[in-house]
Amino acid sequence: MGALPLLRAHVSRPVTTSPRDFETTSLPESLTVLNPATEEVVAEIPTVSPEQVAVAVERAAKAQQAWAALAPGDRARLLRRFADGVDARIDELADLEVTEAGHTLGNARWEAGNARDLLEYAAGGVERLIGRQIPVAGGLDVTFHEPLGVVGVIAPWNFPMPIAAWGFAPALAAGNAVLLKPAETTPLTALLLQDIALAAGLPEGLFQVLPGHGRITGQAIVDHPGVRKIVFTGSTPVGKEIMSRCASGLKRVTLELGGKSPNIVFADADLQRAAASAPMAFLDNSGQDCCARTRILVQREVYDDFLALVAPAIEAVRVGDPRDAATEMGPLISAVQRDRVRSYLTDDVPVLARGKAPEGPGFWQAPMLLAPEDAGCRAATEEIFGPVAVVLPFDDEADALRLANATRYGLSGSLWTRDIGRAVRMARGVNAGNLSVNSHSSVRYWTPFGGFGESGLGRELGPDALAHFTETKNVFISTED
Ligand code: NDP
């Protein structure tokens, strides 16, 4: 694919704003987007400056007022058209996702479909954003869900389309305007989504995509007083920093910060099923998945049998050209990420399974299963965000729970057992926001998603998704004469 023409940025007007303490580093004024499977340059995208962010906020605020004043049915109709536009261009969106993120074509199509589904789901919620009538003496008391205003969505590179849509779809549906900052490695699908939104008839300025560096463009969105909520997905340190920056303006914040999720296999489980699921439960999206089950905990009595099934399956995973329909795993997003992953592959941690990957060019890393002797080592406790898992044995339920909860994270996890009582006991005991029993699925847009501990703050998706982008207003109307 050749270089893309610059898609609209809507922020080109010069501006005058009061100066703020933006970090002025010598970062380049354009983003060079690489294909991670080939290292070829696929696009150069100008970055958005803090001054341009201020202009974008002004435009968004104007557009938001008109948007919130629309009849709910009209807002819903426009969002459905946006969803239809995504549907009509799924191939193009998927192609961009493969090109800039290195995702397999099947995954990329799923991701574009997820963004479409989210828009449809959110559109369906517009007319169900219902307040309450509360019994009071001397009058009528009702609650309203008022939109927040302008919302900033700071998206990561691992699932650029779905995670952006988890923020922008419910935010728009609830009557807000959205400024979306995509990760600098993956701005292309976001820019195309912006075009699709405009073509669908969403007002100019309502949904603006602002590509740029996190520390400049992202921080300018976070710091702008006109932005009333930040939805951030990314690393825990950046999440904490964003939260502290939001504190001064009491800005709302939702943080989704990754994990180190357990995949707990009891001796009474269907071992074949558990073993068939385990490889892709941590290798999907090359392991760059906040819900990846990267700590495989296996009851001691079936430890050897389980590994005899899983190790060859990991070694057989097909890693290569993401456009090839037979490929199961593509490259990592960048050289930085590949080097970060490799920093965990130290000689002192035994390797139980080692898959194959192309040499390069491209940011390749073979799947690896490690068996650390020390459950407290870096590889067993830190989020690697690559195709690497550890396996550890446990003795009984209490031991499994101890190991499962021996982490500062708490995003998701799986339990494999045929004992329903055990499944419920364990599910209640594991400190995580999203658990699955005899499955490794994590994300369903109609159920709430979010983490315990350092996996984040707040919830996305699910039936309350729109309400998270509103303030509740209570109005009392006296009925006294
Ligand atoms: P970051 O947390 O740095 O980036 C996530 C997003 O935040 C990007 O859009 C980034 O922009 C932006 N950003 C960075 N700094 C700031 C800031 N100060 N203010 C506002 N926005 C900012 O993650 P990395 O890309 O560096 O990945 C590092 C690690 O984070 C991974 O190895 C993984 O462990 C974890 N991670 C977790 C994710 C999850 O799904 N929970 C997703 C991505 C990463 P820019 O792209 O310009 O840096």
Side-chain angles (χ1 to χ4, degrees), residues 207-446:
F207 174 54
Q208 299 176 61
V209 174
L210 311 181
H213 303 288
R215 298 229 150 257
I216 298 179
T217 313
Q219 197 163 301
I221 296 171
V222 169
D223 287 348
H224 197 291
V227 176
R228 295 310 309 149
K229 174 167 179 166
I230 297 293
V231 180
F232 169 78
T233 303
S235 61
T236 300
V238 172
K240 287 180 180 176
E241 187 187 330
I242 286 178
M243 188 171 170
S244 71
R245 296 186 86 94
C246 286
S248 63
L250 284 182
K251 201 167 284 188
R252 274 66 181 141
V253 63
T254 299
L255 304 174
E256 204 277 89
L257 308 176
K260 188 77 179 172
S261 298
N263 190 5
I264 308 170
V265 183
F266 283 94
D268 67 29
D270 179 338
L271 272 202
Q272 297 283 345
R273 250 183 90 196
S277 155
M280 291 320 282
F282 78 93
L283 294 175
D284 198 28
N285 208 31
S286 309
Q288 302 166 127
D289 177 354
C290 48
C291 292
R293 273 70 165 159
T294 50
R295 287 185 302 141
I296 307 177
L297 312 180
V298 187
Q299 199 156 15
R300 206 175 293 276
E301 60 230 68
V302 292
Y303 185 81
D304 290 341
D305 293 348
F306 185 76
L307 286 178
L309 295 168
V310 167
I314 290 170
E315 285 166 355
V317 167
R318 288 182 295 265
V319 183
D321 179 2
R323 289 183 195 283
D324 182 337
T327 295
E328 294 169 285
M329 198 186 106
L332 294 172
I333 186 70
S334 62
V336 170
Q337 192 61 19
R338 182 193 54 202
D339 295 345
R340 188 178 290 155
V341 170
R342 289 189 178 165
S343 76
Y344 290 91
L345 306 174
T346 51
D347 291 341
D348 52 335
V349 185
V351 177
L352 280 188
R354 185 193 305 266
K356 291 176 203 67
E359 285 291 313
F363 309 122
W364 302 98
Q365 172 58 48
M368 304 276 265
L369 181 62
L370 311 177
E373 276 150 32
D374 172 12
C377 72
R378 277 180 74 226
T381 55
E382 295 179 13
E383 181 176 53
I384 298 177
F385 229 56
V388 181
V390 298
V391 60
L392 297 163
F394 68 84
D395 293 314
D396 53 21
E397 261 183 53
D399 199 24
L401 209 48
R402 181 187 60 78
L403 280 172
N405 288 338
T407 171
R408 62 197 177 105
Y409 292 111
L411 190 57
S412 61
S414 289
L415 304 164
W416 295 86
T417 174
R418 289 187 171 104
D419 178 336
I420 183 73
R422 166 175 283 162
V424 174
R425 282 193 300 277
M426 288 295 297
R428 297 299 303 270
V430 176
N431 295 329
N434 307 270
L435 289 162
S436 50
V437 177
N438 298 329
S439 154
H440 71 253
S441 93
S442 296
V443 177
R444 290 157 298 274
Y445 58 83
W446 55 96

Side-chain angles (χ1 to χ4, degrees), residues 11 21 23 25 92 98 112 117 136 141 175 221 228 230 248 258 266 292 324 330 338 367 372 470:
V11 285
D21 62 335
E23 200 170 309
T25 62
E92 216 176 319
V98 176
D117 294 347
V136 290
D141 196 282
I221 296 171
R228 295 310 309 149
I230 297 293
S248 63
F266 283 94
D324 182 337
R338 182 193 54 202
T470 65

Side-chain angles (χ1 to χ4, degrees), residues 154-220:
I154 299 184
W157 43 260
N158 60 329
F159 291 107
M161 273 185 284
I163 292 180
W166 298 1
F168 72 69
L172 291 171
N176 302 283
V178 171
L179 304 178
L180 166 62
K181 194 210 86 69
E184 58 193 80
T185 41
T186 55
L188 302 183
T189 51
L191 288 164
L192 181 52
L193 285 169
Q194 176 181 246
D195 270 13
I196 294 172
L198 278 171
L202 266 70
E204 287 265 350
L206 188 74
F207 174 54
Q208 299 176 61
V209 174
L210 311 181
H213 303 288
R215 298 229 150 257
I216 298 179
T217 313
Q219 197 163 301

